[in-house]
Amino acid sequence: MRRVALLLCSLALAGIACSASSAPQSNKTSAAPAPAKNPPLRTVGVWQPALGLVQLPIWPGNPPDGTLRPQPPESVDTYKEPPEYGGKSQAVNNIAIPTVTVVPARGHNTGTAVIVFPGGGFQKVFIDLEGFEICDWLIARGITCIVSKYRAPGGNDYWDDKLKRHITPKIMRALQDAQRTIRLVRSKAKALNIDPNRIGVMGFSAGGYLVAQTSNILTPAYKPVDVIDRISSRPDFAIALYPGHICRDGGKFDPTLPVNKAAPPTFIAQAWDDPIDPICNSLMYASALDKAGVSTELHLFAKGGHAFGLRKSDQPIGAWPQLVERWMAQMRLL
């Protein structure tokens, strides 16, 4: 099995990051592709979790700052999938009311929790492919899984198809939702039967950018609304899969992301042939963390493309979950 595993405690990647960023890049950063070739079936209505799971709003009233612009009601795109993936998967559009859905640990409860931020280019949220499918793996290892349905579209840096350029909104609503979610989960640690000091974040593509933001932006991105906002939003560990939005046009590091030594231990994995988010995202972020003195592990695979999630178990890149487990075990999280 061929893979490139780079541990930043022993390698200096600043030069590599600069050279990699000069490679051809996709302008549509983190525009997560549809998980199936056939066009999805769109239904208007608020997305609902599987039977037995409860979806809860993260704000006590209306979310701060509303949405980027007036938008249609929430809707769900349903994609046809092979039987091994449940026959279908879904993506949620026009999210105005952000929520969380908690999936309890199965069997032995380790006390560890992971908040999952699915991708979708901050245009939509791929709630199954990079959400509940990930939960199935986590809960089987005794980890409580919390799926975030954050505000989209326009909740953070995104590609505008009409204007043919990136738009960075003045108010990062998806970051507001991510910070609030971490605080909310930590406030309910006893009820969820988890350790408030063992709450991590895991994100895919655009969700990987939320991992980087919540790891480094520790000041509130919104005005406090209740006592929950007195609680720390810093995750205790972070896992970013094929993160986007960090390596900007011209190979420049995102100027809005202040990497510092307070960031938690971080695991990053990506494929060299990712056509959506070039590897300079992972390389530059890992290098910046290393320079700040943050314990960082980076794994780069020759092939795997984008949005692979857990769906390429027969390929070398399919080993990333086992690498995460070893990493977490080393930190006594399992």
Side-chain angles (χ1 to χ4, degrees):
M1 181 175 68
R2 181 186 177 190
R3 70 171 181 265
V4 179
L6 303 177
L7 305 183
L8 292 188
C9 60
S10 60
L11 293 178
L13 287 178
I16 299 176
C18 292
S19 61
S21 66
S22 63
Q25 299 178 23
S26 167
N27 286 326
K28 297 183 180 181
T29 307
S30 286
K37 293 182 179 180
N38 296 326
L41 172 66
R42 176 164 294 183
T43 55
V44 176
V46 176
W47 170 86
Q48 295 297 328
L51 187 65
L53 299 178
V54 179
Q55 178 180 201
L56 299 172
I58 62 173
W59 302 99
N62 292 326
D65 302 304
T67 57
L68 178 65
R69 60 176 69 91
Q71 59 190 37
E74 186 169 308
S75 62
V76 180
D77 289 342
T78 301
Y79 300 84
K80 291 183 179 179
E81 300 287 2
E84 59 265 33
Y85 304 128
K88 68 176 184 178
S89 67
Q90 296 181 319
V92 190
N93 310 288
N94 302 316
I95 302 165
I97 304 298
T99 67
V100 291
T101 303
V102 178
V103 187
R106 185 185 303 151
H108 172 67
N109 187 343
T110 63
T112 298
V114 171
I115 298 168
V116 178
F117 300 121
F122 295 118
Q123 299 281 15
K124 57 178 66 179
V125 171
F126 282 84
I127 203 80
D128 288 326
L129 170 65
E130 296 167 342
F132 287 95
E133 290 182 21
I134 306 303
C135 282
D136 289 341
W137 159 59
L138 291 171
I139 65 172
R141 283 141 187 86
I143 300 169
T144 298
C145 182
I146 301 98
V147 177
S148 167
K149 191 184 81 174
Y150 50 86
R151 277 174 286 177
N156 216 319
D157 174 72
Y158 67 97
W159 174 262
D160 189 303
D161 278 327
K162 292 182 179 179
L163 298 177
K164 302 299 180 184
R165 66 183 179 90
H166 284 283
I167 302 293
T168 300
K170 293 181 179 180
I171 301 172
M172 297 183 181
R173 295 167 177 84
L175 173 59
Q176 292 177 340
D177 297 342
Q179 287 184 337
R180 174 70 182 190
T181 296
I182 297 170
R183 292 187 172 105
L184 181 64
V185 170
R186 189 163 275 137
S187 74
K188 297 183 178 298
K190 186 175 182 180
L192 295 175
N193 196 23
I194 61 175
D195 187 331
N197 299 311
R198 295 171 68 173
I199 298 173
V201 289
M202 176 184 291
F204 300 78
S205 194
Y209 185 57
L210 286 177
V211 166
Q213 286 187 314
T214 55
S215 294
N216 294 279
I217 302 175
L218 305 182
T219 55
Y222 57 92
K223 293 181 180 179
V225 297
D226 56 24
V227 295
I228 290 175
D229 290 324
R230 299 175 186 172
I231 300 172
S232 171
S233 66
R234 176 190 179 275
D236 297 301
F237 58 96
I239 303 164
L241 278 296
Y242 40 94
H245 305 271
I246 296 170
C247 179
R248 299 298 176 92
D249 292 341
K252 297 179 180 179
F253 192 89
D254 172 21
T256 70
L257 183 63
V259 177
N260 61 67
K261 62 181 180 181
T266 300
F267 180 103
I268 307 169
Q270 192 170 10
W272 281 92
D273 66 347
D274 190 327
I276 303 297
D277 290 323
I279 59 166
C280 66
N281 285 279
S282 291
L283 289 169
M284 294 179 78
Y285 183 46
S287 180
L289 288 171
D290 181 55
K291 288 179 179 178
V294 178
S295 175
T296 305
E297 182 163 325
L298 170 64
H299 294 267
L300 298 176
F301 296 83
K303 296 182 179 181
H306 189 74
F308 47 80
L310 293 171
R311 296 188 175 190
K312 295 187 177 180
S313 58
D314 60 336
Q315 299 179 27
I317 203 163
W320 75 261
Q322 289 74 44
L323 295 171
V324 168
E325 289 178 40
R326 293 178 183 178
W327 179 75
M328 293 180 68
Q330 193 174 39
M331 294 188 291
R332 298 183 179 180
L333 294 169
L334 298 181

